[in-house]
Amino acid sequence: MITVTSERIAALCRSAAQHLDVRVVEETGSTNADLLAALPTLAAPTLLVARSQTAGRGRAGRSWLSAPGKSLTFSLAWKFSLPVHALVGLPLAVGVAIAESLAMFNVQVRLKWPNDVLHEGRKLAGILIESAAAGHVPHDASWAVIGIGINMALSESMSAEIGRPVASIPWLAELDQDMLMATLASGLAEALVQFEHEGLNAFTPRWNALHAYAGQPVMILDNGRVQQEGVAVGVDDIGRFLLDTPAGRQAIMAGDVSLRPKE
C-alpha cells in the first residue's frame, strides 16, 4: 500500500530519529535541492520524502529517474559538529546504514564503491551527499544533505531509459511505506550519530563485509575511460578504494570515478 504520512513516520521512528522534522510532499523536483535551499531556516535535522520526484540527481549531475509508487525518494539534512572535510567517507557509512536497515525486511544487498547499493548484482539504491558549512559560528559545524533513491518496482520501459541493470523488488512497494521509511530514517540517524563520534572506522569493517566485488577483477573508470584495473580489495579507514594491481596496491579516492566489474 503506497501511503506516506509525516506524522506516522515520525511516530514509528526509533529514538535516534525522534527529533527529526519529517516532511512529505506530493511532488518536487529534487529533495536534495529543496533541503539545500532551506538549510539557513532549518531548526532541526529534517527528513523530506517526495511521493514523486521530477528532477532527481545522482553523482556528477547525472539524472536519477524514479516513478511514483515504484520508487522511494527522500533526503535527510543533518547537522554535524564537524567541519565539511571531516565528512569524507560519509557515503560509505550511509551505504552500510541502508544495507542494515533493508536486512530487517529480509532484503539482502551488497555495496558498490563509492555510493551504490546492489541487489542480485543490480542497482537497488543510490546515494548523493551534498555538504555545506553551517554558517558563521562555530566554524567546525557543517550540514550534510543525504539524498537516497530506492528502486522498488520500476517498469521495463523506465529500466530501459535508465540504461543499466536496475534491481526490482516489487513486494517492497507493497509494504507499509511509513514503516519502511521510519526504519530507514532510524538506521540513518543512528549511523550519523555514530559517524560523528567514532568516524568512518566504525563502518569500514561493515562496509567490507558487504562489498559486492571483493576478490574480483574490476576496472576504475573516469568519464568512461579505464584508469586502473586490478583485483578489488575493499576500502580503508579514510574511504579510499583499495585495488591490487601488477604495480602493487593502489588506493583510489572517490571523485567522478566509477567502478565496474571486469568482464
Side-chain angles (χ1 to χ4, degrees):
M1 187 72 175
I2 303 298
T3 57
V4 184
T5 60
S6 57
E7 296 84 0
R8 192 159 177 269
I9 291 170
L12 290 168
C13 281
R14 300 193 296 272
S15 59
Q18 284 288 326
H19 64 310
L20 293 182
D21 178 0
V22 180
R23 308 175 184 181
V24 176
V25 296
E26 194 65 36
E27 181 177 290
T28 191
S30 161
T31 53
N32 257 39
D34 290 350
L35 286 181
L36 282 168
L39 285 183
T41 68
L42 297 185
T46 301
L47 175 70
L48 178 61
V49 184
R51 293 190 177 97
S52 176
Q53 187 172 243
T54 59
R57 294 175 290 126
R59 286 178 67 228
R62 301 180 185 94
S63 296
W64 179 272
L65 301 178
S66 60
K70 305 297 184 182
S71 310
L72 197 57
T73 52
F74 61 96
S75 296
L76 175 61
W78 188 275
K79 191 175 182 179
F80 288 91
S81 297
L82 298 169
V84 170
H85 67 80
L87 303 184
V88 171
L90 183 58
L92 304 179
V94 169
V96 169
I98 294 171
E100 292 177 349
S101 295
L102 289 173
M104 296 181 182
F105 296 92
N106 293 318
V107 176
Q108 303 304 316
V109 300
R110 310 294 281 177
L111 300 176
K112 176 187 169 190
W113 182 87
N115 66 339
D116 287 346
V117 180
L118 307 182
H119 175 68
E120 297 179 348
R122 293 170 174 256
K123 186 167 181 174
L124 178 67
I127 301 160
L128 174 66
I129 299 181
E130 298 174 281
S131 55
H136 306 296
V137 179
H139 296 292
D140 59 350
S142 57
W143 282 95
V145 176
I146 301 160
I148 295 169
I150 301 178
N151 304 314
M152 296 189 292
L154 295 185
S155 65
E156 288 186 13
S157 61
M158 180 158 283
S159 297
E161 190 177 348
I162 292 170
R164 65 183 65 182
V166 178
S168 181
I169 309 178
W171 60 263
L172 264 184
E174 303 302 321
L175 291 179
D176 179 334
Q177 297 296 286
D178 290 338
M179 177 58 77
L180 177 59
M181 191 65 254
T183 301
L184 289 162
S186 298
L188 284 168
E190 290 161 0
L192 299 179
V193 170
Q194 186 175 23
F195 185 90
E196 175 157 336
H197 290 98
E198 301 177 38
L200 185 59
N201 289 1
F203 297 90
T204 304
R206 290 145 72 188
W207 194 98
N208 286 326
L210 291 161
H211 181 197
Y213 299 117
Q216 298 181 32
V218 298
M219 302 179 294
I220 302 296
L221 294 86
D222 186 358
N223 292 318
R225 294 189 296 272
V226 177
Q227 299 296 308
Q228 296 267 14
E229 294 186 31
V231 175
V233 178
V235 297
D236 65 12
D237 286 337
I238 58 173
R240 298 178 302 179
F241 187 74
L242 303 178
L243 189 70
D244 280 342
T245 75
R249 181 161 292 182
Q250 306 293 317
I252 300 158
M253 287 297 292
D256 189 23
V257 295
S258 56
L259 180 151
R260 295 283 186 277
K262 188 174 179 182
E263 299 298 334

